[in-house]
Structure formats: C-alpha cells, structure tokens
Amino acid sequence: DQDDPKTSLAHIDDSWGLAQFQDEDGEIRLIRFNSGFIPWRGKQAFPVRMGIAIPTEDSDFGEDVEEALAKAEEKLFEACKASGRAVITLFITEPHYKEALLYIQEQSVGEAIMDQLAALNLGLEFQYYFDDDADWQVYWLVADDLDLLPKMPDEATGETA
C-alpha cells in the first residue's frame, strides 16, 4: 500500500541524482537529490521538515572531516531506515558545510536521530531545525530548480514546454 510509509519506502533508496550549480558568489554547490519522492506529491505521511547542517570550515579534522561526514551520513541513513518514520530527500554540499533535508512524521523522530548522530562522537557540530511542511515545499522548490518535475502542458497549445 503506497499510503503506508514503511511499505512505500522500499524502492526509494536507489533514486539519487547529482546536480552541480554555481551560486551568485561563484561558489560551486553540489546537490544529491532523491527523485524517488516525486510521485509522493500530495501525500502527507511525513509532515515535518528537518534540516541538518554540519559546518566544515573551522573543523579540527583536516582531511579526516570527509571520513567523519561519511560516517555521519551512513548513520543518518541507518537511523531513518530503522525508524521507518523519516526519509532523506537531499544533501547539499557547499564549501563550508554539508546539509541534509529530511521529512519526518514528528519532531521526536528527528530528536532521536540527532541523539544517534551525537552518540557517534565524531567531533562534528550538528545544527538542526524542524518546521511544519506537510506539502514538502522546499523539496518541490529544489526539484523545480533542478528541472526534475514533469512538464505540465501549456493550457493554450496543449504542448509541454
């Protein structure tokens, strides 16, 4: 049943794509985007948006920061999958931080995930927030910016742009 979050998540894991863009300051940004959630438009199984940012600029790790980030990301995937109550929709890698965008069923799910990340003792600083976003507005804005949404026919001509 596609409305049951636990059974509908099975096919999502392999739907990741990569996009690169340059911002107005000339900085390169990488976005890993899980397009497997595009068919979920209109479903509200995960109404809370959670953003997690990990600053990397003033890290004491040097080259080891990438290894710590990889461990944190792996734990994030494990925690979301184990809970069945959280999904990771995208990652943004910028020169000075890495960010993950999740949608979760309720804030306590995100707090439990953050406890698991903190327990890894990786020395990373995790900044996070929660916001009500049952319509996944941020996800759809990024999907639209990356030109991943299906083209709607022009009302006058019936042709897609």
Side-chain angles (χ1 to χ4, degrees):
D1 178 343
Q2 196 166 5
D3 289 330
D4 177 4
K6 284 196 173 190
T7 59
S8 62
L9 294 177
H11 74 285
I12 300 297
D13 294 350
D14 296 322
S15 301
W16 290 92
L18 182 65
Q20 177 178 314
F21 69 97
Q22 193 170 14
D23 71 9
E24 59 276 356
D25 296 327
E27 301 258 1
I28 299 295
R29 309 284 195 246
L30 295 176
I31 296 180
R32 286 187 8 228
F33 186 86
N34 194 332
S35 61
F37 291 109
I38 289 174
W40 283 37
R41 182 169 230 152
K43 296 185 183 345
Q44 298 184 349
F46 299 91
V48 179
R49 180 177 68 237
M50 178 181 183
I52 303 171
I54 307 168
T56 58
E57 184 173 47
D58 296 324
S59 166
D60 294 331
F61 291 101
E63 293 180 17
D64 293 336
V65 71
E66 291 302 322
E67 184 177 329
L69 287 170
K71 287 180 182 178
E73 185 176 314
E74 183 179 327
K75 184 59 167 182
L76 185 58
F77 274 106
E78 288 173 9
C80 288
K81 190 173 280 196
S83 79
R85 301 177 64 207
V87 295
I88 304 168
T89 60
L90 64 89
F91 289 97
I92 300 173
T93 302
E94 302 206 14
H96 309 296
Y97 71 90
K98 184 166 191 169
E99 185 175 357
L101 183 70
L102 291 73
Y103 283 90
I104 59 179
Q105 289 183 342
E106 57 191 42
Q107 186 170 328
S108 63
V109 172
E111 290 166 350
I113 288 170
M114 294 312 301
D115 288 346
Q116 292 178 48
L117 289 175
L120 292 175
N121 293 318
L122 296 173
L124 297 171
E125 174 189 351
F126 296 102
Q127 302 168 357
Y128 60 96
Y129 73 89
F130 303 102
D131 199 5
D132 292 333
D133 186 6
D135 294 326
W136 289 30
Q137 291 299 311
V138 173
Y139 178 83
W140 296 118
L141 286 171
V142 174
D144 190 40
D145 283 349
L146 295 177
D147 204 24
L148 295 171
L149 296 178
K151 302 296 180 223
M152 300 304 289
D154 181 275
E155 290 184 22
T157 65
E159 296 178 11
T160 56

